[in-house]
Amino acid sequence: MFLVGLTGGIASGKSSVIQVFQQLGCAVIDVDVIARHVVQPGYPAHRRIVEAFGTEVLLENGDINRKVLGDLIFNQPDRRHLLNTITHPEIRKEMMKETFKYFLRGYRYVILDIPLLFETKKLLKYMKHTVVVYCDRDTQLARLMKRNSLNREDAEARIKAQLPLKDKARMADHVLDNSGEWSITKRQVILLHAQLERSLEYLPLRLGVLTGLAGIASLLYLFTRYLLPSP
């Protein structure tokens, strides 16, 4: 099995594309959901965040106050780095757990929905393929203004706060252009899914695991056959 990192930008249509992949039966892991999960009360990252940043980052119910924490690390690289050293290892562990579950269920590839895939670059090394859901700047602006009821100035500010989609598209292995009719975008998703399904890149890992399991089974057989006393 191999991993496919999927990203986009605000109002590019990434969520709609993911829905199509899911309708096609693809396994999708939302890294943002995992990031929220690992900082829940009772998890190691939650305890370490409180130790590092104090109880002021907690809500009354014990959950992390994401706004307060965000304000604390805003424009403070050292604090941001500290938070990342706490959360990123836990996110990777949960990500691999989820991925292994899909591996056991026989999926050929797993899509990871990673909003900041190219910005942080932390997970790029794990991705066999990268996909960007792209749309041109004018389309992105118009969609964002309509969807969020924003004026042009506010919408442009939100778009400028992100890495431009054209830059992400240059770095990606595959680009799904969502600038036009949705039916055209959906067709692109279906074709990409077929291409990834036909790929044999999943075989080396699966064969390696099966070989390892066969080796363990052989050792267990020899142990029971020759070392344990006969009845």
Side-chain angles (χ1 to χ4, degrees):
M1 189 181 70
F2 57 90
L3 302 180
V4 177
L6 188 145
T7 192
I10 189 169
S12 70
K14 177 169 66 72
S15 297
S16 298
V17 165
I18 286 174
Q19 287 179 0
V20 177
F21 274 116
Q22 290 174 323
Q23 291 166 4
L24 292 170
C26 299
V28 178
I29 297 173
D30 188 330
V31 175
D32 265 359
V33 171
I34 292 178
R36 291 192 293 269
H37 175 75
V38 299
V39 297
Q40 290 180 342
Y43 286 83
H46 180 278
R47 174 180 53 79
R48 292 184 60 198
I49 288 172
V50 175
E51 289 175 353
F53 296 95
T55 56
E56 63 188 279
V57 300
L58 295 179
L59 294 168
E60 289 184 3
N61 64 358
D63 289 343
I64 298 293
N65 188 323
R66 297 171 68 86
K67 183 181 183 307
V68 170
L69 184 59
D71 290 342
L72 284 175
I73 66 173
F74 184 70
N75 284 337
Q76 296 198 47
D78 290 343
R79 284 194 160 192
R80 181 181 295 276
H81 176 72
L82 174 59
L83 179 62
N84 289 342
T85 59
I86 293 172
T87 58
H88 285 180
E90 299 300 322
I91 291 171
R92 283 194 292 269
K93 282 193 288 188
E94 287 298 318
M95 183 186 78
M96 297 314 296
K97 285 180 185 177
E98 291 298 313
T99 301
F100 188 64
K101 290 178 185 177
Y102 286 120
F103 172 82
L104 294 177
R105 292 166 62 183
Y107 283 85
R108 293 193 173 191
Y109 72 92
V110 173
I111 296 171
L112 275 79
D113 175 5
I114 310 173
L116 300 178
L117 177 64
F118 292 113
E119 287 85 343
T120 64
K121 296 182 172 62
K122 295 291 185 182
L123 298 175
L124 270 177
K125 61 184 177 182
Y126 301 107
M127 304 301 132
K128 192 70 176 178
H129 295 264
T130 54
V131 182
V132 165
V133 181
Y134 170 86
C135 67
D136 61 72
R137 177 64 178 268
D138 290 341
T139 300
Q140 185 182 24
L141 182 62
R143 287 175 180 168
L144 181 58
M145 291 171 63
K146 181 179 180 180
R147 188 190 73 183
N148 291 30
S149 300
L150 297 174
N151 60 42
R152 187 180 188 90
E153 183 181 356
D154 289 342
E156 286 182 337
R158 295 197 182 190
I159 291 174
K160 287 179 181 177
Q162 298 184 340
L163 184 67
L165 279 171
K166 61 181 181 180
D167 293 345
K168 294 183 181 183
R170 282 196 293 265
M171 292 185 279
D173 299 315
H174 310 275
V175 178
L176 299 173
D177 191 343
N178 190 33
S179 302
E181 295 293 327
W182 172 242
S183 59
I184 298 175
T185 303
K186 188 173 182 179
R187 176 66 175 167
Q188 294 176 64
V189 178
I190 293 171
L191 290 174
L192 178 57
H193 169 61
Q195 178 184 340
L196 294 173
E197 276 287 295
R198 288 195 303 268
S199 171
L200 299 179
E201 291 169 319
Y202 73 97
L203 281 177
L205 176 60
R206 190 166 295 277
L207 290 174
V209 171
L210 291 176
T211 301
L213 291 175
I216 293 172
S218 298
L219 289 174
L220 289 174
Y221 171 78
L222 290 173
F223 179 79
T224 56
R225 178 70 177 79
Y226 295 105
L227 300 182
L228 295 182
S230 302

